[in-house]
Amino acid sequence: MPHAATFSREDAPADLAQSQLFQSKGWRCELVARPVGAFFQPVAICRSGAAEAVHLPEDAAPYATAAEALRHARRQAMRYASHH
């Protein structure tokens, strides 16, 4: 079953608006809403075990809110984890 945890602004690097951790099927993914001007770009970085991290491609235009960007990054990570 997938698990998600939200990290506070203090836990994230200064240039990140929000981040979450998503875990499913042996994959651990960091989901980020990266500020781009007045918008937020969804970013998903996934790792399986000790393997090298996979930075999933940016497949969407920036969103108006960080919450929307995080939802997109989560859906992208879920698709990736279920197909790999």
Side-chain angles (χ1 to χ4, degrees):
M1 174 169 258
H3 301 284
T6 301
F7 298 99
S8 69
R9 178 87 173 140
E10 295 77 31
D11 295 334
D15 63 337
L16 301 181
Q18 284 188 335
S19 67
Q20 294 181 344
L21 181 62
F22 169 77
Q23 297 182 57
S24 179
K25 299 182 181 185
W27 287 92
R28 180 180 177 157
C29 303
E30 181 183 7
L31 313 175
V32 178
R34 181 173 46 86
V36 178
F39 299 97
F40 297 90
Q41 182 67 49
V43 176
I45 303 167
C46 297
R47 178 186 308 265
S48 178
E52 188 172 327
V54 177
H55 191 287
L56 303 185
E58 292 182 2
D59 66 349
Y63 285 87
T65 69
E68 291 172 316
L70 286 172
R71 279 193 296 272
H72 179 92
R74 183 180 178 87
R75 286 190 306 269
Q76 185 183 26
M78 289 172 71
R79 283 190 309 269
Y80 188 84
S82 69
H83 289 94
H84 291 90

